[in-house]
Amino acid sequence: MISVYYFGAIALILIGLYAVLVKKNVLKMLIGLSIMETGVNLLLVSVGYISGRSAPILSEGIGPNGAVDPIPQALVLTAIVIGVATTAMALSVAILIHEKYGTLNVEEIRRLRG
Amino acid sequence: MNGQYASLLIALPLISAFFVPLIKGFGKKAIKYYLVLITAIQTGIAGWVFSEVYSTGKPIIVIAGGWRPPVGINLYLGHFAALFVFIVALVSFFMAVFSVKAIDVEPIDKYAMLFLLLMLGATGMIATGDLFNLFVFMEITAISAYALTAYNKTGEAAEASLKYIVLGGIGSSFFLVGVALLYGSLGTLNLAHIAQLAGGVNATVAQVSLALIIFGLAVEAELFPLNAWAPDAYQAAPHPITAMFSAFVVKAGLYAMARILYVLSAASGWANIARLLVIMGTLTVIVGELSALRQRDVKRMIAYSSIAQVGLIAVALALGTADGVSAGVFHMVNHAIVKALLFLAVGYVGITLGGTAVENFEGLGKRMPLTAFSITVGAVAVMGIPLFNVFWSKMRIILAAMGAGYAWVVALVLAASVVEAVYYIRLIHTMWFTGEGEKLNENLVFGVIMLLLVVAIIVIGIYPEPLWDIVQKAGNDIVNVAGYIKNVPLMGVGA
């Protein structure tokens, strides 16, 4: 039985991939990219989950054996920031494309040929 | 001197990038010369690291924050990393000098910051010893590369950048899934520790995660199905940035690919992935060369040629033998020199005559003899004519591929080399034997840089042995995984 977390995360990645590959509008492609990144982050967090344990903050009543794996959380924190930076970069390029081409349809954005 | 100072290779570009807005107060020129100064210092540090590693024969291990790996992050500056960090810094220095003339349109302060971050990312990718840290440096490189591709703010530049962002985004997501799978099964992110545990990893997990990681890195490294962004980005990006992409951003991706591939070489099912990479590399060579044949824009043509050479390097690195990897590293060094020269010269023609369409190259031999001479030497070298450097590395790759039993790869690669000769000879013919024109004044500084690179090509072509000794050590650094594990002072945790 596959854990519902893994299933959901992989499903999100595939939905995002589908949107990037199939959609014609640049903004929808970028939404797909964001969904994909979310799925990857969920997958990373669920890799570190240990059933029945709490957040890895050592405080009263929670010892080292009562916490989930803290490393994936550090990784996800980094990956989220990187994802946001990529999205911001992509959106500014999308604005530039709309200025120069007057369209966001990928089939009409074809000046570079060969 | 203490080896920990090698961390300045990462720290210097980062700190200098933060100081750019302050320098901006002194004017546009100041930023350009600041860039030249910082890259010169970086070259000095990298040169010190290089001589240190090659004179002692021991790698420099930088341990971040005093936490021994695998708990902390370490930088591993072995023979390979020392060599390539030096090349990255040197090419960046040349391109910073080139930028003084070539970049005069847009916000120069942002350009300088992104330039430094691109250099930082490539250096970090080559130096790091940690899988997730590799991802972070890869993203630093990628995001600065996206921004620099769109730097000219034309429609074409935005289009090229968008393609790169979408492909790069998919690639980095896949890479991260691969990292998650490896971490989930091994519980470590340190490359040396992964190598230690690789023998026991589940065959399916090893194959899937390795395939995903290679898929992710192949976007940066321009291998066949994922390289559609590359020619567009090369054509639309500012000229110095194009040279940097070709000379080291791609190499950083290839190196990371080779490193991860060999780190997991003990895993079962490994040979399938290596064979897949050989096939992808061969297809890259063929598709790259055939696409270059029908280009009307010289910069785009050289971009396709660059992709084809990268395919050749990928083939060599995936052969799985020490000979193959050394030959691949040899070709990486030679290709970095030759393509830096070609993109520098073509970019110089582009800024002087306004554009890199093939019409501008007619009569270049009469108008800009020195530049035309440099392009000619570069073109002849890429074709692999004896007495030039690329001949030796191509020869080594072909011998290594024969040795590993890949005769069909050799046949296809050699056929592609014939195609390569056709379009380069056509370019040389256009430059020297067609068109009329008056002699233009050529910039002395660029002339000196181009001649330096030309001399490097010819000297390596006549005396390949010293460099071959160096790259054999560098190649051994990748193949000899047991030595790699032994060099990293792993703390005994978990296991």
Side-chain angles (χ1 to χ4, degrees):
Chain A
M1 185 61 199
I2 302 174
S3 139
V4 63
Y5 303 115
Y6 289 137
F7 185 81
I10 303 275
L12 272 182
I13 295 175
L14 291 180
I15 290 168
L17 192 61
Y18 172 82
V20 175
L21 297 179
V22 174
K23 294 294 173 193
K24 301 270 187 293
N25 188 308
V26 168
L27 289 182
K28 287 184 182 167
M29 286 168 72
L30 297 184
I31 291 173
L33 218 52
S34 270
I35 294 176
M36 211 171 147
E37 272 154 13
T38 312
V40 174
N41 292 338
L42 274 177
L43 181 72
L44 259 175
V45 176
S46 36
V47 160
Y49 180 66
I50 304 166
S51 178
R53 295 197 185 174
S54 76
I57 304 165
L58 298 185
S59 58
E60 213 172 319
I62 299 165
N65 289 326
V68 299
D69 188 350
I71 290 176
Q73 307 190 359
L75 304 190
V76 164
L77 207 57
T78 317
I80 289 174
V81 176
I82 290 173
V84 171
T86 317
T87 310
M89 183 65 223
L91 286 175
S92 63
V93 171
I95 293 172
L96 192 60
I97 283 189
H98 193 261
E99 263 172 29
K100 302 285 176 188
Y101 287 80
T103 175
L104 280 176
N105 185 335
V106 278
E107 287 179 346
E108 288 167 31
I109 305 172
R110 286 196 160 276
R111 238 180 257 170
L112 285 164
R113 275 246 157 241
Chain B
M1 245 166 111
N2 190 337
Q4 300 295 316
Y5 284 110
S7 56
L8 281 173
L9 285 172
I10 307 289
L12 177 77
L14 195 58
I15 294 170
S16 330
F18 280 112
F19 274 102
V20 168
L22 279 180
I23 307 292
K24 198 188 170 195
F26 298 100
K28 267 188 164 182
K29 274 269 177 259
I31 291 181
K32 289 177 179 173
Y33 290 120
Y34 175 72
L35 198 56
V36 173
L37 174 71
I38 298 299
T39 46
I41 297 174
Q42 174 89 352
T43 313
I45 300 172
W48 167 71
V49 168
F50 179 78
S51 67
E52 189 80 4
V53 168
Y54 277 86
S55 62
T56 60
K58 281 205 179 341
I60 298 177
I61 313 282
V62 177
I63 294 170
W67 299 92
R68 297 226 333 243
V71 173
I73 289 171
N74 68 308
L75 300 183
Y76 181 91
L77 290 151
H79 287 95
F80 183 97
L83 176 63
F84 268 81
V85 162
F86 182 59
I87 289 178
V88 168
L90 198 63
V91 172
S92 300
F93 172 63
F94 286 158
M95 291 310 142
V97 175
F98 185 34
S99 302
V100 173
K101 265 274 182 310
I103 306 292
D104 54 353
V105 273
E106 305 281 336
I108 189 72
D109 53 328
K110 273 137 198 139
Y111 175 82
M113 266 190 250
L114 290 166
F115 186 103
L116 288 170
L117 287 179
L118 190 69
M119 181 169 86
L120 160 80
T123 309
M125 270 176 91
I126 291 166
T128 190
D130 183 277
L131 194 54
F132 192 75
N133 197 228
L134 174 68
F135 169 77
V136 173
F137 278 124
M138 185 175 100
E139 288 299 290
I140 292 176
T141 318
I143 294 176
S144 358
Y146 304 152
L148 283 168
T149 307
Y151 182 75
N152 281 336
K153 285 201 181 155
T154 57
E156 285 85 354
E159 183 188 338
S161 179
L162 186 78
K163 280 184 196 170
Y164 192 3
I165 291 176
V166 170
L167 269 173
I170 297 176
S172 65
S173 292
F174 276 49
F175 184 90
L176 209 48
V177 175
V179 171
L181 286 178
L182 264 188
Y183 178 75
S185 83
L186 293 178
T188 180
L189 289 165
N190 187 285
L191 286 174
H193 201 195
I194 288 176
Q196 214 170 39
L197 304 178
V201 63
N202 179 311
T204 318
V205 173
Q207 285 188 47
V208 172
S209 57
L210 194 54
L212 284 169
I213 285 175
I214 284 182
F215 184 89
L217 284 168
V219 176
E220 286 303 305
E222 303 171 0
L223 294 184
F224 165 57
L226 307 158
N227 58 8
W229 63 271
D232 295 348
Y234 280 54
Q235 190 183 347
H239 301 299
I241 300 305
T242 312
M244 288 167 77
F245 281 175
S246 171
F248 65 72
V249 174
V250 179
K251 304 294 183 324
L254 278 172
Y255 160 70
M257 201 181 251
R259 173 63 90 199
I260 295 175
L261 193 69
Y262 285 94
V263 156
L264 284 169
S265 60
S268 49
W270 179 82
N272 295 333
I273 304 290
R275 202 173 307 126
L276 176 77
L277 199 54
V278 170
I279 294 171
M280 276 166 78
T282 316
L283 282 174
T284 311
V285 176
I286 297 167
V287 172
E289 298 291 16
L290 288 179
S291 313
L293 190 58
R294 56 188 178 85
Q295 296 306 322
R296 300 297 303 158
D297 186 295
V298 174
K299 208 174 164 196
R300 199 175 172 86
M301 187 187 96
I302 296 179
Y304 273 114
S305 155
S306 175
I307 290 171
Q309 304 299 320
V310 166
L312 199 57
I313 297 169
V315 168
L317 290 179
L319 287 174
T321 58
D323 277 349
V325 175
S326 305
V329 177
F330 196 12
H331 201 54
M332 278 161 103
V333 178
N334 285 335
H335 180 246
I337 298 172
V338 171
K339 279 287 150 47
L341 172 66
L342 277 173
F343 278 115
L344 175 64
V346 169
Y348 185 43
V349 174
I351 58 170
T352 320
L353 303 177
T356 52
V358 82
E359 291 77 31
N360 284 337
F361 283 76
E362 284 171 7
L364 198 71
K366 299 184 191 80
R367 287 194 285 176
M368 300 166 75
L370 187 60
T371 315
F373 171 72
S374 312
I375 297 178
T376 309
V377 173
V380 171
V382 175
M383 283 187 269
I385 306 284
L387 293 184
F388 290 91
N389 58 356
V390 177
F391 168 75
W392 299 106
S393 50
K394 274 193 176 173
M395 195 72 192
R396 294 279 183 190
I397 289 179
I398 286 166
L399 288 177
M402 286 306 280
Y406 281 107
W408 58 274
V409 171
V410 173
L412 289 171
V413 164
L414 282 178
S417 288
V418 177
V419 177
E420 185 172 43
V422 172
Y423 63 80
Y424 272 119
I425 289 173
R426 196 175 61 195
L427 174 66
I428 293 171
H429 181 263
T430 314
M431 285 194 305
W432 293 101
F433 301 109
T434 62
E436 285 299 315
E438 301 196 345
K439 196 169 176 322
L440 297 170
N441 261 338
E442 288 171 285
N443 188 308
L444 194 66
V445 180
F446 298 161
V448 169
I449 294 178
M450 285 190 280
L451 282 183
L452 269 179
L453 291 166
V454 165
V455 168
I457 287 175
I458 292 174
V459 168
I460 296 172
I462 297 173
Y463 302 106
E465 280 82 13
L467 185 61
W468 175 243
D469 287 343
I470 289 178
V471 298
Q472 265 185 319
K473 282 184 191 150
N476 203 28
D477 188 40
I478 296 179
V479 178
N480 184 1
V481 180
Y484 178 68
I485 299 172
K486 212 175 78 208
N487 283 331
V488 180
L490 282 177
M491 207 153 79
V493 288

